[in-house]
Amino acid sequence: MGSLMQSEPEMEKKPVGIRFLERIKGSKLSYNAYQAIVLIVTFLAYASYHAARKTTSIVKSALDPQSPDTGLNSLLLRFTSFGSSAKEEGGWAPFNGPDGTVLLGEIDVAFLAVYAFGMYFAGHLGDRMNLRIFLTVGMIGTGLFTSLFGVGYWANIHSFYYFLIMQMLAGLFQSSGWPSVVAVVGNWFNKKKRGLIMGIWNAHTSVGNITGSLIAAAMLRYGWGWSFVVPGVIIVVIGLVNFAFLPVNPEIVGAERDEDLDSSSEKIGNSVSEPLLLSSSDSETDDRERAVGFIEAWRIPGVAPFALCLFFAKLVAYTFLYWLPFYVSHTAIEGEYLSDETAGNLSTMFDVGGVVGGIMAGYISDRIGARAITAASFMYCSIPALFFYRSYGHVSLLANASLMFLTGMLVNGPYALITTAVSADLGTHSSLKGNSRALATVTAIIDGTGSVGAAVGPLLTGYISSRGSWSAVFTMLMGAAFVAGLLLTRLVMAEVAEKIAESRPSEERRSPVDYVQDHVMEV
């Protein structure tokens, strides 16, 4: 592992793919060309992560014909009467037995638990290793264990623990993805441009989910094992592309940073604004080369509030991810119940709204220069959207789709903003004195904490819906959205104070003639 350490990044060789492109061109690539490569490669990388992750929810119906495709929540069935119903013939043992839905739920819980736990360590390691190699290893490992899950089909494996271990290992390797791609993108784009660019770039989540669903569904006709192997092979291939082409930062390829890189400032929980990033021409110091520790990263102003905010934001978002198709199919719209296929197609409107919300949140936060105000505003606005969706979503198909789109936009907007631009901003906070080797750790802390909420939300929804009603579930979601916004109150007040302070110098710079004219008017 010592050979992977980045003690002197500027001495590393360029990726072989970059050298190949430069040889064809006959000259060095421009800074904009490197940025385009970074966006494309990381977009494909994380889309392939989500495509591999999505396959399990599609294959559940083949493994357990009676599964409502809400595996996380089925863990609660051990304590209710729903787990005692008989199963139809077919499926795959042990998932087609009386406890099959519960077993699938345990696999989901184990995957997300290991993923959230591994996220913290992945970020810590990512800031100490070559991110290109670290990300490649994560992608190949994810592809390997995703494929091995599918190999159980041809090997005629019926051991629950085999499938459980494969999913846990896949979750562990998947945890390397998000901290790495955000850190790399953060190295190439300054704060002024991050919000909008990362909002668009974050569409890889929805693209990956849709692609994974289509591939897994198409492969089911040939045997459910192919639904895992094909996405597994795809992520391995893209991992090799990542290894060949991904430039981790400008220093590695000798690219000069944008001239406006030093102009961006931040004020998240601080009383003094300082440059977000120091220019590459500044002298290197030991502090700026030293990787930031886990506890030290938690102490960066703004990390804890945004991490806790994301806990509740992802709680809401992932509840919709796991429960929305089931909820739609079990809710009468215009007096009729939709088929599972139609309900699944309709539920994609939530993801479409999420893409629009991520772009809007990034653009707005760039324009006003206030991430916390933007995130908190979206979370507060999602509360009435959730209320209206629950109250009027049954009126018509158009009303359901429209309100679902609006809810997805407002829920996923701050989710996308916090996991991308905010994480990159905080990973290059002024308190780090120009040290850029905290991006992966900070990203892992924020998204890792959010991933815990992603596991808690669906579980709470399963418990509440089985004991109470869907109205109680939506009340919980509205409460979570309110708490998410409330956790950013101190940062919102700091940003408001900053905006007020920024308006004062313009008054102080007024000419003496202006002050005389004002005095005359008062007299």
Side-chain angles (χ1 to χ4, degrees), residues 64-97:
D64 175 16
Q66 285 295 310
S67 173
D69 202 19
T70 53
L72 262 176
N73 314 293
S74 63
L75 186 63
L76 296 163
L77 296 180
R78 290 190 183 277
F79 309 105
T80 65
S81 60
F82 294 104
S84 60
S85 60
K87 301 289 177 181
E88 294 179 351
E89 294 183 0
W92 190 268
F95 304 110
N96 62 347

Side-chain angles (χ1 to χ4, degrees), residues 118-128 134 175 179 439-442 444-445:
M119 186 80 72
Y120 295 111
F121 292 95
H124 188 71
L125 288 173
D127 281 327
R128 288 159 173 77
F134 185 62
S175 66
L439 272 169
T441 299
V442 169
I445 287 174

Side-chain angles (χ1 to χ4, degrees), residues 2 4 39 123 216 230 254 311 313 318 338 371 376 428 496 499 521:
L4 303 182
L39 288 178
V230 173
F311 175 95
Y318 269 66
L338 303 180
R371 310 289 197 207
T428 50
V496 171
K499 297 304 175 184
M521 293 296 294

Side-chain angles (χ1 to χ4, degrees), residues 170-208:
L172 181 63
F173 278 94
Q174 283 235 7
S175 66
S176 66
W178 190 242
S180 300
V181 295
V182 172
V184 172
V185 174
N187 286 336
W188 282 95
F189 294 90
N190 62 29
K191 182 182 177 183
K192 183 178 179 181
K193 300 178 180 179
R194 281 176 184 160
L196 177 59
I197 291 174
M198 284 187 152
I200 298 172
W201 171 77
N202 194 61
H204 51 50
T205 299
S206 297
V207 172

Side-chain angles (χ1 to χ4, degrees), residues 301-319:
V303 169
F306 274 114
L308 295 175
C309 172
L310 189 62
F311 175 95
F312 290 97
K314 288 189 76 169
L315 184 152
V316 178
Y318 269 66
T319 295

Side-chain angles (χ1 to χ4, degrees), residues 53 81 108 180 296 311 334 378 403 476:
R53 189 182 308 175
S81 60
D108 284 340
S180 300
E296 185 180 355
F311 175 95
E334 295 183 278
F378 269 70
L403 291 172
M476 177 200 71

Side-chain angles (χ1 to χ4, degrees), residues 168-381:
M168 291 176 68
L169 290 173
L172 181 63
F173 278 94
Q174 283 235 7
S175 66
S176 66
W178 190 242
S180 300
V181 295
V182 172
V184 172
V185 174
N187 286 336
W188 282 95
F189 294 90
N190 62 29
K191 182 182 177 183
K192 183 178 179 181
K193 300 178 180 179
R194 281 176 184 160
L196 177 59
I197 291 174
M198 284 187 152
I200 298 172
W201 171 77
N202 194 61
H204 51 50
T205 299
S206 297
V207 172
N209 287 339
I210 295 171
T211 303
S213 298
L214 293 176
I215 293 175
M219 292 295 104
L220 277 177
R221 69 185 67 178
Y222 305 109
W224 63 260
W226 288 110
S227 297
F228 287 93
V229 171
V230 173
V233 171
I234 289 175
I235 192 173
V236 169
V237 172
I238 296 178
L240 296 177
V241 172
N242 165 84
F243 178 79
F245 288 95
L246 184 64
V248 173
N249 57 50
E251 288 76 15
I252 284 181
V253 292
E256 296 183 0
R257 294 181 183 271
D258 285 339
E259 293 180 357
D260 64 342
L261 194 59
D262 297 339
S263 65
S264 58
S265 301
E266 76 166 340
K267 184 181 178 87
I268 300 181
N270 276 350
S271 59
V272 180
S273 295
E274 298 181 18
L276 176 65
L277 289 172
L278 301 180
S279 79
S280 58
S281 61
D282 293 332
S283 60
E284 297 293 330
T285 64
D286 291 339
D287 287 341
R288 288 163 59 181
E289 287 300 316
R290 178 179 58 86
V292 174
F294 182 77
I295 302 300
E296 185 180 355
W298 267 105
R299 293 174 178 170
I300 296 174
V303 169
F306 274 114
L308 295 175
C309 172
L310 189 62
F311 175 95
F312 290 97
K314 288 189 76 169
L315 184 152
V316 178
Y318 269 66
T319 295
F320 273 85
L321 176 67
Y322 281 97
W323 273 102
L324 188 56
F326 178 81
Y327 171 75
V328 171
S329 65
H330 287 75
T331 300
I333 300 177
E334 295 183 278
E336 296 181 359
Y337 290 93
L338 303 180
S339 66
D340 290 340
E341 181 180 358
T342 304
N345 292 334
L346 179 62
S347 67
T348 59
M349 290 302 297
F350 185 82
D351 282 328
V352 175
V355 173
V356 176
I359 296 173
M360 284 184 58
Y363 176 76
I364 293 172
S365 68
D366 280 349
R367 292 285 293 179
I368 67 177
R371 310 289 197 207
I373 292 175
T374 304
S377 299
F378 269 70
M379 292 309 306
Y380 287 136
C381 289

